[in-house]
């Protein structure tokens, strides 16, 4: 059992940290957060340097690396800044779905553009009446001759206002159970009948645009089907086994970033004639957080290693996301508390980190959904 990263992985970490430290400036992050704007210029630079799509095969514009390398980049980006880092790592959301299940034509159409900063992707799964219960979706795709006609509404869609491509989950056959009749489609934003409404006023990750996507009589042919017809639900679950690892890395990075800032503050801030970091009570709280961060990092990396080695374990993935999300919220809460009054204002950043952290407990499956997955691994399917 080897816990050391390879030299190549260490190089990826160093490059990601150097880039983020240079580009993710506090003043710019505060501006993107305040204006709720996506950092297009920084994202393009990240793409040019090969950070986006680092886990894509080389024939699709990537670096041919794996989930673990992608996790390292996500962690370092969010450690440098929770707002800019989160926005950039989410710009390729659902591109992995295309990599997993897309046709050769779909992969060559989308993935090189994502890797080179020429396209942004979005996954349309959640609906107004179907959040955690994915089986309750109502968006339908009805066959009409050689075409599919899609109608429905998706909400809380990451990247919706800026996306070029959408992966859309729809009902294609009414079956029992319902999820056996779901199919996914690849849609282009230029298609007639797609209406996007931005969702503003979010608590955090404001530089990562969110919106509602409505489909009215959107027509596509068979080439838009991703994977197998009526297998969309199962494909989405498999995709979540990878995408949740990246969200866990996002949470881990945010936790580490808030931790770093708090330690630095405690070394400088003086009370009662000495730095507050000299007080044993605060030292113990920091030591406890450090231990938890290291433990969660091992779990997140294990989940990524499992994926890369085709030993996928949904329970491990859910454990990683569940604990990383909880940890991010806890560390940021402690960071604000230890900063005192200064932690409550934007000047010291931990206020923004705290707002950005909360979403990691919600999207890609709430913490309750993750506990359901872990419970099934322990008990199997049981009825009350």
């Amino acid at each position: 059992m080897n816990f050391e990263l390879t030299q190549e992985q260490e190089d990826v970490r160093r490059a990601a940290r150097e880039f983020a430290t240079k580009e993710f400036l506090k003043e710019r992050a505060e501006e993107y957060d305040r204006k709720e704007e996506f950092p297009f210029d920084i994202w393009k630079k990240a793409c040019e340097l090969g950070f986006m799509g680092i886990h894509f095969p080389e024939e699709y514009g990537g670096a041919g690396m794996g989930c673990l390398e992608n996790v390292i980049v996500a962690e370092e980006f969010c450690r440098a800044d929770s707002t800019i880092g989160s926005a950039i790592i989410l710009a390729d959301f659902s591109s992995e779905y295309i990599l997993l299940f897309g046709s050769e034509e779909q992969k060559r159409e989308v993935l090189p553009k994502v890797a080179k900063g020429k396209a942004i992707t979005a996954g349309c799964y959640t609906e107004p009446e179907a959040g955690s219960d994915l089986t309750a979706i109502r968006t339908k795709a009805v066959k009409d001759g050689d075409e599919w006609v899609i109608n429905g509404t998706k909400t809380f869609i990451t990247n919706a206002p800026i996306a070029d491509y959408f992966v859309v989950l729809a009902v294609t056959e009414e079956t029992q159970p319902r999820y056996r009749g779901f199919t996914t489609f690849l849609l282009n934003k230029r298609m007639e009948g797609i209406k996007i409404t931005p969702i503003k006023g979010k608590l955090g990750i404001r530089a990562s645009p969110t919106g509602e996507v409505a489909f009215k009589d959107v027509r596509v042919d068979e080439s838009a089907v991703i994977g197998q017809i009526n297998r969309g639900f199962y494909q989405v679950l498999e995709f979540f086994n990878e995408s949740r690892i990246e969200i866990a890395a996002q949470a881990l990075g945010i936790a580490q970033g808030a931790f770093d800032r708090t330690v630095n503050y405690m070394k400088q801030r003086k009370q009662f004639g000495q730095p507050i970091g000299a007080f044993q009570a605060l030292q113990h709280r920091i030591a406890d957080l450090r231990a938890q961060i290291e433990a969660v990092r091992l779990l997140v990396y294990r989940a990524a290693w499992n994926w890369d080695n085709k030993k996928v374990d949904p329970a491990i993935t859910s454990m990683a996301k569940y604990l990383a999300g909880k940890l991010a919220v806890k560390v940021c809460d402690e960071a604000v508390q230890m900063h005192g009054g200064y932690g409550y204002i934007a000047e010291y950043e931990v206020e923004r980190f705290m707002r950005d952290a909360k979403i990691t407990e919600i999207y890609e499956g709430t913490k309750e959904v993750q506990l359901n997955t872990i419970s099934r691994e322990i008990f199997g399917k049981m009825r009350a």
Side-chain angles (χ1 to χ4, degrees), residues 254-274:
I254 291 174
Q256 185 68 65
F259 179 88
D260 294 343
R261 287 160 173 79
T262 303
V263 170
N264 289 336
Y265 177 80
M266 291 174 66
K267 291 177 178 179
Q268 299 170 16
R269 174 65 170 166
K270 290 186 177 181
Q271 288 284 279
F272 307 104
Q274 60 182 330

Side-chain angles (χ1 to χ4, degrees), residues 19 41-52 115-117:
F19 171 76
D41 54 342
I42 303 176
W43 164 69
K44 284 186 175 294
K45 289 181 181 179
C47 293
E48 291 169 0
L49 292 172
F51 293 117
M52 301 302 294
K116 302 305 179 185

Side-chain angles (χ1 to χ4, degrees), residues 50-264:
F51 293 117
M52 301 302 294
I54 193 172
H55 53 315
F56 295 172
E58 292 180 4
E59 60 263 36
Y60 303 127
M65 296 186 182
C67 181
L68 182 52
E69 287 80 10
N70 192 45
V71 157
I72 290 170
V73 171
E75 178 189 357
E76 290 299 330
F77 278 14
C78 293
R79 177 181 185 176
D81 186 82
S82 60
T83 298
I84 297 176
S86 295
I88 291 178
I89 69 166
L90 292 171
D92 66 350
F93 180 64
S94 283
S95 62
E96 295 93 348
Y97 190 96
I98 300 168
L99 180 61
L100 284 171
F101 304 108
S103 65
E104 189 63 24
E105 291 75 16
Q106 289 169 339
K107 292 175 184 177
R108 293 195 179 280
E109 164 68 17
V110 178
L111 300 181
K113 293 179 182 177
V114 171
K116 302 305 179 185
K118 297 180 179 179
I120 289 173
T121 50
C124 298
Y125 313 112
T126 303
E127 297 188 4
E129 301 300 325
S132 295
D133 184 8
L134 197 62
T135 65
I137 66 166
R138 290 288 178 265
T139 296
K140 286 189 175 183
V142 178
K143 199 69 183 294
D144 182 20
D146 294 331
E147 294 182 316
W148 291 93
V149 183
I150 302 175
N151 284 280
T153 301
K154 304 290 184 176
T155 194
F156 300 134
I157 305 305
T158 299
N159 298 330
I162 60 173
D164 300 282
Y165 295 97
F166 300 91
V167 174
V168 182
L169 182 67
V171 179
T172 46
E173 184 178 339
E174 289 295 347
T175 62
Q176 288 298 327
R178 294 188 74 246
Y179 57 78
R180 291 182 178 173
F182 294 177
T183 304
T184 49
F185 298 84
L186 178 62
L187 274 58
N188 190 301
K189 71 174 182 181
R190 295 189 297 273
M191 290 177 174
E192 187 175 348
I194 300 177
K195 180 182 178 182
I196 301 166
T197 304
I199 295 175
K200 297 288 187 178
K202 294 183 298 182
L203 173 70
I205 61 164
R206 293 178 178 176
S208 176
T210 305
E212 180 180 273
V213 185
F215 308 99
K216 182 174 176 57
D217 296 330
V218 178
R219 289 182 171 270
V220 297
D221 59 28
E222 289 292 334
S223 67
V225 174
I226 306 176
Q228 299 180 42
I229 293 176
N230 294 337
R231 292 291 298 175
F233 177 78
Y234 302 98
Q235 293 174 182
V236 169
L237 292 186
E238 185 173 339
F239 159 67
F240 282 164
N241 282 330
E242 181 181 15
S243 65
R244 285 171 176 166
I245 303 172
E246 184 174 37
I247 301 305
Q250 175 191 3
L252 175 62
I254 291 174
Q256 185 68 65
F259 179 88
D260 294 343
R261 287 160 173 79
T262 303
V263 170
N264 289 336

Side-chain angles (χ1 to χ4, degrees), residues 10 27 103 170 176 189 258 260 272 276 291 303 333 369-370 377:
E10 290 289 3
E27 296 75 15
S103 65
Q176 288 298 327
K189 71 174 182 181
D260 294 343
F272 307 104
I276 62 174
D333 178 63
V369 168
Q370 307 312 317
E377 193 270 340

